[in-house]
Amino acid sequence: DAKTTQPTSMDCAEGRAANLPCNHSTISGNEYVYWYRQIHSQGPQYIIHGLKNNETNEMASLIITEDRKSSTLILPHATLRDTAVYYCIVRVQGSARQLTFGSGTQLTVLP
Amino acid sequence: GAVVSQHPSWVICKSGTSVKIECRSLDFQATTMFWYRQFPKQSLMLMATSNEGSKATYEQGVEKDKFLINHASLTLSTLTVTSAHPEDSSFYICSATQNPGHSTDTQYFGPGTRLTVL
């Protein structure tokens, strides 16, 4: 699976949009971009995934660049409960393989 | 999304005892489950892949005789830490794959089990 690079930490004001970037310059054509988050002392929570089109669900939006070498997770109206470590993971879908977690981005939502 | 549970959520045991952790997929069948371990301030590390009806596959450096995995049904996998020692104290997390091998497969994680060995 391709390697990803994320900033170590970010701050965001409550109520504002949180934009979390991820670089995956070596992504292959059949690899999807997944986002998970882990709130302190809990298991990771699935957020969203996509291949090349932008995706949106009730939690977030995923914007993938046209060359697919980077993506941005957008939390439109961050709340204090969104404070967590966010992981961007690249993986071949349908492979039934494990997820490989990097260091992620510690997002802190400030009141 | 799909729900994965773990039991217990936390356990404290004496050194030398064995501890069993259960992972259940509550609303879907999971032929494949994964066990991860997370030490403080570190990321999740895969320990083993659990396949229903067959032997688990362990990652390099993980002792299969110490971390026994049983995946006897499509909704239950267990991890037994045998003869636990303080260095085994960690946060153990399982995940289950919904629709493995299909284009819509997604991994869902349990809430984790905090093991403290005294």
Side-chain angles (χ1 to χ4, degrees), chain A residues 15-48:
Chain A
R16 299 281 190 171
N19 298 287
L20 292 94
C22 179
N23 285 323
H24 30 79
S25 58
T26 61
I27 191 170
S28 299
N30 62 347
E31 288 182 312
Y32 284 68
V33 180
Y34 286 81
W35 283 85
Y36 284 77
R37 72 180 182 184
Q38 186 178 25
I39 296 170
H40 183 62
S41 295
Q42 297 183 24
Q45 177 188 22
Y46 166 78
I47 301 174
I48 199 168

Side-chain angles (χ1 to χ4, degrees), chain A residues 6-99:
Chain A
Q6 299 177 252
T8 303
S9 63
M10 293 180 64
D11 291 341
C12 175
E14 187 178 20
R16 299 281 190 171
N19 298 287
L20 292 94
C22 179
N23 285 323
H24 30 79
S25 58
T26 61
I27 191 170
S28 299
N30 62 347
E31 288 182 312
Y32 284 68
V33 180
Y34 286 81
W35 283 85
Y36 284 77
R37 72 180 182 184
Q38 186 178 25
I39 296 170
H40 183 62
S41 295
Q42 297 183 24
Q45 177 188 22
Y46 166 78
I47 301 174
I48 199 168
H49 74 281
L51 181 62
K52 55 184 178 180
N53 296 322
N54 297 338
E55 302 286 345
T56 296
N57 61 21
E58 65 278 4
M59 289 184 68
S61 294
L62 173 61
I63 308 298
I64 302 174
T65 58
E66 191 169 344
D67 63 6
R68 301 209 323 122
K69 293 186 177 181
S70 66
S71 61
T72 301
L73 178 74
I74 301 173
L75 307 178
H77 304 287
T79 70
L80 299 178
R81 288 179 294 180
D82 292 321
T83 292
V85 178
Y86 286 77
Y87 296 99
C88 168
I89 301 169
V90 172
R91 173 177 165 267
V92 177
Q93 194 174 36
S95 63
R97 293 175 57 189
Q98 76 280 4
L99 294 169

Side-chain angles (χ1 to χ4, degrees), chain B residues 11 15 17-18 20 23 25 27 33-34 44-45 48 50 62 65 67 71 80 82 101 104 108 111:
Chain B
V11 57
S15 185
T17 61
S18 294
K20 179 185 285 188
C23 176
S25 56
D27 50 1
M33 291 184 175
F34 301 96
L44 283 75
M45 293 296 295
S50 171
V62 178
D65 294 331
F67 298 99
H71 194 155
T80 301
T82 63
T104 56
Y108 294 94

